[in-house]
Amino acid sequence: MAPLRFSANLSWLFPELPGLPARLRAAGSAGFEAAEVAWPYAEPPEALALAARDAGLRLVLINMPPGDQEKGEMGLGAVPGRQAAFREGLEQAVRYAKALGCPRIHLMAGRVPPGADRAAARGEMEMVFLENLRHAAGVLAQENLVGLLEPINTRVTDPQYFLDTPQQAAAILEKVGRPNLQLQMDIFHWQIMDGNLTANIRKFLPIVGHVQVAQVPGRGEPDSPGELHFPYLFQLLEDEGYQGFVGCEYRPQGDTAEGLRWLRSYWDRRGRPQASQ
């Protein structure tokens, strides 16, 4: 069983440092081999690619643009009437992914429109999502890229988000039926929505293209106080043969580098993956 590969989520880690280039350097110095970032679009892609190379990092995940955040948008994939904006955002994300050598793009579903009833809006939103995902799968396939669907919990983090359980996401992926669309498993969200992590990980891992971790409920480091025992979960991922990256998408409880004791302990115990893996 190969040790897990970890990526630094630079939208969350090293918040004490201004700008992505500085955070990339810090992640490289901390021993990471990979990084991910939600929205890299404030920086020119060529500059980010150079900063990543200089830091010895590869970018493994970015998000599509979120839409108009001033109007409350958080993704456009399932939002009726925003199909054209979704396609424009996809084009921008693909340009960045190609420049960064990043193989995965999170295709954000978006929120139930304000004032709309979730149950009443579900059918139309799913139809829009399926239409957009089929289009995205074709575009991404031309560039050898993978699109990811991430359920986000609606109990705590985002009550209006459309896609909120792995069961819902897996059903949508099955309807689309494209091999370059996969599931993004954020263990923080899965625990809050459903728990039953051992069974859910075993059931859905064959369609998972990326994993993210944070403690529940505080969303801190994996070894911070909370509900989850990450040594068990990491061993489960290893035992199940997971080969992708595990993104560190958590809120540091103090200095980011000092808070990586859990990761250094994992590396000391399991070793680091070979560069070829």
Side-chain angles (χ1 to χ4, degrees):
M1 294 173 290
L4 299 174
R5 301 183 296 172
F6 292 89
S7 61
N9 189 305
L10 299 183
S11 298
W12 290 76
L13 302 188
F14 306 103
E16 64 273 12
L17 298 176
L20 285 176
R23 295 183 185 189
L24 285 163
R25 289 192 294 272
S29 297
F32 283 99
E33 62 164 314
E36 57 194 67
V37 59
W39 299 302
Y41 305 106
E43 305 269 359
E46 296 79 11
L48 282 180
L50 179 60
R53 286 195 297 270
D54 288 347
L57 295 170
R58 47 180 161 163
L59 272 293
V60 297
L61 174 66
I62 61 173
N63 289 0
M64 275 187 59
D68 191 339
Q69 290 184 291
E70 292 186 1
K71 294 183 178 179
E73 291 182 330
M74 187 57 69
L76 301 173
V79 181
R82 296 289 277 153
Q83 289 93 323
F86 175 87
R87 294 187 180 203
E88 291 175 5
L90 179 65
E91 291 178 4
Q92 184 180 18
V94 168
R95 287 197 302 272
Y96 268 75
K98 290 172 63 178
L100 296 170
C102 177
R104 301 170 195 86
I105 299 174
H106 172 201
L107 309 174
M108 300 187 71
R111 291 169 170 156
V112 176
D117 178 76
R118 173 180 291 273
R122 184 182 181 108
E124 181 184 9
M125 293 190 72
E126 183 172 301
M127 286 179 57
V128 170
F129 204 18
L130 292 172
E131 172 192 337
N132 282 332
L133 290 175
R134 291 185 180 109
H135 170 77
V139 172
L140 296 175
Q142 293 177 9
E143 305 296 343
N144 198 29
L145 298 173
V146 171
L148 298 175
L149 275 61
E150 179 189 15
I152 294 176
N153 83 80
T154 50
R155 289 180 171 167
V156 176
T157 301
D158 195 336
Q160 292 301 111
Y161 204 74
F162 172 70
L163 191 71
D164 64 353
T165 69
Q167 292 82 1
Q168 181 191 10
I172 288 173
L173 287 171
E174 185 175 5
K175 290 178 182 179
V176 178
R178 303 296 176 87
N180 66 327
L181 297 184
Q182 298 176 346
L183 185 59
Q184 183 170 321
M185 177 174 69
D186 189 319
I187 289 177
F188 173 82
H189 295 305
W190 287 29
Q191 169 67 4
I192 290 173
M193 287 303 295
D194 195 42
N196 195 27
L197 287 177
T198 298
N200 281 335
I201 288 172
R202 286 175 174 159
K203 178 178 181 179
F204 294 111
L205 198 62
I207 60 170
V208 167
H210 193 74
V211 173
Q212 292 174 326
V213 296
Q215 186 57 270
V216 178
R219 210 167 189 178
E221 289 90 345
D223 65 344
S224 61
E227 301 173 11
L228 301 179
H229 184 59
F230 274 97
Y232 169 82
L233 293 174
F234 291 154
Q235 187 63 55
L236 178 62
L237 289 172
E238 289 185 29
D239 291 345
E240 294 298 311
Y242 178 65
Q243 297 294 312
F245 281 92
V246 177
C248 302
E249 188 181 278
Y250 59 77
R251 185 179 298 109
Q253 304 300 290
D255 179 80
T256 299
E258 291 182 5
L260 289 171
R261 290 183 299 271
W262 67 272
L263 182 54
R264 291 191 290 270
S265 175
Y266 178 88
W267 283 335
D268 288 343
R269 186 175 70 256
R270 292 291 293 118
R272 303 194 190 200
Q274 297 298 313
S276 61
Q277 291 183 315

